[in-house]
C-alpha cells in the first residue's frame, strides 16, 4: 500500500525490517543505546557486534527520547542505521505524541543529511514501550506526511510493520489521511 506525498512515496509493508534493501533502517532503541529486545535485538543480531561498539564509541552519552543518532549498518544491506528513541507510553498526557512525532522528523532529517533515497521505519514505541498502535500510527504517519509535503528531495519512506495487527492499524490511518 502506498501514497505519493509531494515528490516522495510513503508506503506500508508487513515484514522484517532487517531484510529491507534500502539506504537507511530505523532502530527503535533505548536512551542508553544499549541494545535490547524487539526490533532493536533483531537489528543488532543481523548487523553483528560492530554495531553496538560503534554506537557506544560515537554516542557514549546515549540519545535523548524524541531524538535519533546515525551509525553505519554492519552486515545489513542498508548503509545506515538511525537509532531512534521513542517515548514510553504513560497515558498520553506527558508529551508522548510530540516526542513520537519528533523522533520521526529527526530520522527523516538524518535521511536527507546522509543523501538517502529511502528509509525504513518500524512502528516505534508500539512494542515494549506500550504505545497504542492506532495512536502511534496517526502520529507517525501524520508527522511523516507533513515533513514530506515540505521536502523537495524525493524520498522513499517505508513503514515495515511486523505483524498483521500493526499493519492493519497503519493501513486504516493511511486510508483516513487520504480522505
Ligand atoms: N522488523 C520490524 N518490526 C519489528 C521487528 C522486526 N524484525 N521486531 C519487532 N518489531 P519494540 P519499542 C516490531 O518493542 O516499543 C527494545 O528492547 C514490534 O512488533 O521493538 O520502541 C529497545 O532496546 C513492534 O510493533 O520497540 C527499547 O528498550 C515494534 O517493532 C525498547 O525495546 C516496536 O517494538 C523500545 O520499545
Amino acid at each position: 500500500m502506498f501514497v505519493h506525498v509531494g515528490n516522495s512515496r510513503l508506503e506500508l509493508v508487513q515484514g522484517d525490517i532487517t531484510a529491507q534493501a534500502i539506504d537507511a533502517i530505523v532502530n527503535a532503541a533505548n536512551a542508553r543505546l544499549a541494545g535490547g529486545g524487539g526490533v532493536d535485538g533483531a537489528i543488532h543480531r543481523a548487523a553483528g557486534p560492530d554495531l553496538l561498539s560503534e554506537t557506544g564509541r560515537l554516542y557514549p552519552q546515549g540519545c535523548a527520547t524524541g531524538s535519533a543518532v546515525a551509525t553505519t549498518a554492519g552486515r545489513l544491506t542498508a548503509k545506515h542505521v538511525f537509532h531512534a528513541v521513542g517515548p514510553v507510553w504513560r497515558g498520553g498526557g506527558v508529551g508522548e505524541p510530540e516526542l513520537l512525532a519528533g523522533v520521526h522528523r529527526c530520522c527523516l532529517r538524518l535521511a536527507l543529511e546522509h543523501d538517502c533515497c529511502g528509509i525504513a521505519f518500524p512502528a516505534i514505541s508500539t512494542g515494549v514501550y506500550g504505545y497504542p498502535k492506532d495512536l502511534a500510527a496517526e502520529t507517525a504517519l501524520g508527522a511523516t506526511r507533513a515533513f514530506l509535503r515540505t521536502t523537495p528531495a524525493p524520498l522513499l519512506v517505508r513503514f515495515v510493520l511486523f505483524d498483521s495487527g500493526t499493519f492493519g492499524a497503519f493501513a486504516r490511518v493511511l486510508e483516513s489521511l487520504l480522505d
Side-chain angles (χ1 to χ4, degrees):
M1 176 176 190
F2 70 91
V3 297
H4 290 288
V5 184
N7 295 322
S8 295
R9 178 179 163 111
L10 171 56
E11 63 183 35
L12 310 182
V13 301
Q14 191 179 333
D16 178 353
I17 201 166
T18 64
Q20 302 299 311
I22 197 159
D23 288 343
I25 284 177
V26 176
N27 182 19
N30 53 65
R32 290 178 298 121
L33 304 176
V39 71
D40 196 1
I43 287 174
H44 278 283
R45 275 194 302 280
D50 289 353
L51 188 62
L52 198 60
S53 40
E54 182 184 348
T55 308
R57 191 173 66 249
L58 293 180
Y59 308 105
Q61 74 287 9
C63 176
T65 300
S67 191
V69 293
T71 64
T72 59
R75 295 196 295 250
L76 290 164
T77 50
K79 296 184 194 133
H80 313 281
V81 175
F82 301 151
H83 304 264
V85 185
V88 175
W89 178 256
R90 301 188 196 282
V94 289
E96 294 95 328
E98 292 77 9
L99 290 166
L100 190 62
V103 87
H104 286 82
R105 285 192 294 269
C106 192
C107 291
L108 292 164
R109 278 196 298 271
L110 284 173
L112 297 179
E113 283 165 23
H114 289 82
D115 294 322
C116 295
C117 297
I119 175 172
F121 283 95
I124 297 171
S125 287
T126 66
V128 173
Y129 282 0
Y131 211 112
K133 293 177 194 308
D134 52 344
L135 299 182
E138 274 177 30
T139 295
L141 293 173
T144 299
R145 185 174 71 152
F147 184 94
L148 294 178
R149 277 181 163 166
T150 60
T151 302
L155 192 62
L156 165 63
V157 181
R158 179 181 296 156
F159 282 82
V160 182
L161 296 326
F162 203 45
D163 54 79
S164 58
T166 312
F167 180 83
F170 275 68
R172 280 189 293 280
V173 170
L174 193 60
E175 271 162 23
S176 74
L177 289 179
L178 299 176
D179 293 341

